[in-house]
Amino acid sequence: MKQTFHLPAETTLKPKDRVAYINARLIDPESGLDEKGVLVTEGEKILEFGAKVKAPTGAEIVDCKGHVLCPGLIDIQVHFREPGQEHKETLHTGSKSAVAGGITLVVCQPNTKPVLDSVQVLEFLKARAKETSYCHIRAYAAISQGMKGEQLSDMVQLKNTGIVVGFTDDGLPVMNSLLMRRAFEYARELDLPIAQHAEDLVLSNKGCINEGAVSTKLGVPGIPNVSESVCVARDLQLLEAFGGQYHVLHVSTKEVVELIRAARKKGLNVTGEASPHHFTLTDKAVLEHGTNAKMNPPLRSEADRLALIEGLQDGTITAIATDHAPHDPESKNQPLASATFGIVGVEFMLPLSLALFHQKKLSLRDVLAKMTYQAADIIKEKTGRLKKGARADLTLIDLNSSWTIKNSNLHSKSKNSPFDGTSTKGRAIRTVVSGKTVYTYT
Ligand SMILES: [Zn+2]
């Protein structure tokens, strides 16, 4: 098997160049389209698609051999570590790993060094993305200056950089309720979401894994479920009182699934995302994988894992996102209590999510919806759909390709993951960003 990569900045696609993707199983999760047909791109846009569409003469032909061609996958939670921790990841290596996983757009989190809290650093990120990234890069800017939880950042100016799709202090929660109120009020005027890393740091009390049988067995401090849910409960009260849009990052507990479900029933503008590791593994994985199974929020109990899947099934959880958090060996080769939180994830978001389809827990349409238009809707991006005239971000998926995740083969600069040796089914075999093929697996 051979993998090839091409940076969009280095390809020479002309505005009138046409590519015809023939013999495709076209799936558009938003409209429900699922039919055999042809999709034609012209330059960076989708020209037309459908069962009756023919490949135009002179077009470059890509034979999809019956595989699924769908809108490019979106991951609304990644840490690509640039600027400041380039020894762990860069936009270049992170996005390379992302496109190998079929992802065409990511949202970077602001806990870089320096923090994404100024126009200057966001302009830097934008310029670096243009030169070095394989996929589209967006960012959540910091809610508070320096992510210190004291003073609001200048949200208006930050939004005007054009790369900001929301605000969060992810890596850390916003503990200060007044600051959170102000954040809701400002972001409401800007029509952007406030995304929360939901955690009460006082309750977490320096815990390092889930509080439960495993933490007791290992004799390490645990993080209780309520550490997440008291934070979300407070935020929902603020949301109800002051309005705005609230997004809960990496939901890990059954209590938070229930809180979001009830709030959505009430009509509050709240969404939640689930990370593949949280709906795939429990804290038992820590026994086998040690610090490579340590992340925040932590892997929880089987009851929590099942509640997340139920939330995905009934539409309480509308997006899947990885929280891709690369770390160097020095940060991880430590006792459980002192090792850094986080695991990589972009390269296997798709197969771990497709497992829900293969296990008949979710339809294929629903699985893909959570990584395309429904994720895009949270961050107010128009992408994630097959539409005439839309930007040609596409993912070609072989649903049945079986492969085993090997940490050493990952394209990320860091290899910290508990999925080493895991057998999976389904993968991206071609990733197209703005009409340009950036990745193939043949
Ligand atoms: Zn987080």
Side-chain angles (χ1 to χ4, degrees):
M1 288 294 150
K2 195 174 151 230
Q3 300 184 79
T4 63
F5 293 88
H6 297 284
L7 272 180
E10 287 167 358
T11 57
T12 52
L13 184 85
K14 295 190 194 77
K16 289 286 165 195
D17 285 352
R18 289 182 178 181
V19 183
Y21 298 84
I22 64 166
N23 299 321
R25 179 180 168 191
L26 301 166
I27 295 187
D28 178 46
E30 187 186 36
S31 64
L33 173 88
D34 185 348
E35 65 183 22
K36 279 271 166 70
V38 173
L39 182 144
V40 182
T41 62
E42 186 178 70
E44 299 193 348
K45 301 256 161 79
I46 295 173
L47 185 66
E48 55 180 349
F49 58 90
K52 296 200 179 88
V53 170
K54 299 253 179 316
T57 45
E60 180 192 335
I61 304 290
V62 174
D63 188 349
C64 299
K65 299 180 178 159
H67 292 308
V68 169
L69 187 66
C70 68
L73 306 183
I74 297 166
D75 184 354
I76 54 175
Q77 238 248 97
V78 304
H79 301 264
F80 281 176
R81 306 297 185 210
E82 193 172 353
Q85 291 187 296
E86 287 85 352
H87 60 293
K88 295 184 176 184
E89 195 79 287
T90 60
L91 291 179
H92 184 73
T93 56
S95 65
K96 190 173 187 181
S97 194
V99 297
I103 295 164
T104 57
L105 184 146
V106 298
V107 179
C108 291
Q109 306 300 300
N111 60 340
T112 49
K113 293 178 182 171
V115 166
L116 304 183
D117 65 353
S118 70
V119 170
Q120 203 182 4
V121 66
L122 284 160
E123 290 294 347
F124 166 83
L125 195 77
K126 217 162 89 180
R128 289 290 289 167
K130 205 172 169 197
E131 284 165 25
T132 68
S133 177
Y134 287 90
C135 67
H136 301 293
I137 301 285
R138 301 288 184 272
Y140 284 136
I143 289 173
S144 66
Q145 292 172 26
M147 285 178 48
K148 290 200 176 89
E150 292 160 8
Q151 303 287 326
L152 270 192
S153 60
D154 190 336
M155 291 184 170
V156 179
Q157 270 199 26
L158 300 183
K159 184 189 176 180
N160 288 342
T161 59
I163 192 173
V164 171
V165 294
F167 300 93
T168 184
D169 272 1
D170 182 49
L172 291 171
V174 174
M175 292 279 288
N176 178 330
S177 304
L178 179 61
L179 190 79
M180 197 64 179
R181 171 192 175 162
R182 299 275 181 251
F184 275 129
E185 288 173 330
Y186 277 92
R188 187 187 65 205
E189 297 310 310
L190 299 173
D191 196 25
L192 287 177
I194 291 294
Q196 176 75 291
H197 167 109
E199 180 177 8
D200 184 315
L201 293 172
V202 183
L203 274 171
S204 287
N205 195 22
K206 300 205 169 67
C208 64
I209 61 170
N210 181 49
E211 182 176 301
V214 176
S215 66
T216 305
K217 185 173 177 179
L218 295 174
V220 294
I223 303 172
N225 278 27
V226 286
S227 172
E228 183 177 77
S229 51
V230 295
C231 180
V232 173
R234 177 206 65 176
D235 291 347
L236 288 170
Q237 297 260 321
L238 292 168
L239 179 69
E240 191 167 9
F242 304 111
Q245 182 195 342
Y246 178 52
H247 178 65
V248 186
L249 301 162
H250 42 52
V251 174
S252 75
T253 62
K254 55 186 185 310
E255 290 83 359
V256 168
V257 174
E258 192 44 50
L259 283 169
I260 296 174
R261 181 179 287 129
R264 284 170 69 87
K265 267 199 196 123
K266 246 186 186 178
L268 295 185
N269 191 359
V270 53
T271 49
E273 73 191 26
S275 303
H277 48 271
H278 285 130
F279 62 72
T280 307
L281 301 174
T282 66
D283 55 359
K284 286 199 177 119
V286 177
L287 298 171
E288 191 184 342
H289 298 281
T291 61
N292 271 346
K294 178 184 176 182
M295 75 292 288
N296 194 3
L299 296 171
R300 301 283 187 185
S301 69
E302 180 67 1
D304 293 301
R305 189 183 78 83
L306 295 176
L308 281 181
I309 293 174
E310 248 174 63
L312 287 161
Q313 286 169 329
D314 72 7
T316 299
I317 307 279
T318 58
I320 293 173
T322 64
D323 191 16
H324 178 87
H327 287 295
D328 55 298
E330 291 71 47
S331 311
K332 282 294 194 182
N333 293 343
Q334 292 197 30
L336 203 48
S338 55
T340 318
F341 289 105
I343 63 165
V344 295
V346 285
E347 217 155 322
F348 35 81
M349 172 172 81
L350 176 61
L352 293 178
S353 303
L354 281 176
L356 298 174
F357 158 67
H358 290 304
Q359 294 159 9
K360 301 198 169 31
K361 294 198 174 102
L362 277 182
S363 69
L364 181 57
R365 178 184 177 181
D366 279 349
V367 172
L368 295 176
K370 292 177 200 294
M371 295 182 281
T372 56
Y373 82 98
Q374 287 183 189
D377 282 350
I378 293 166
I379 54 166
K380 308 283 167 73
E381 288 271 314
K382 288 191 176 67
T383 188
R385 286 116 170 138
L386 295 186
K387 274 218 167 94
K388 280 186 188 180
R391 192 172 65 209
D393 295 338
L394 303 164
T395 305
L396 184 62
I397 301 168
D398 180 343
L399 291 175
N400 294 309
S401 170
S402 296
W403 61 292
T404 302
I405 296 169
K406 285 209 175 67
N407 284 359
S408 56
N409 289 346
L410 299 176
H411 295 90
S412 167
K413 219 176 229 190
S414 297
K415 315 294 179 193
N416 50 307
S417 133
F419 291 104
D420 192 38
T422 301
S423 303
T424 62
K425 205 162 118 185
R427 68 169 303 134
I429 53 175
R430 178 181 286 260
T431 308
V432 178
V433 172
S434 296
K436 301 159 187 163
T437 291
V438 295
Y439 171 75
T440 59
Y441 176 90
T442 48

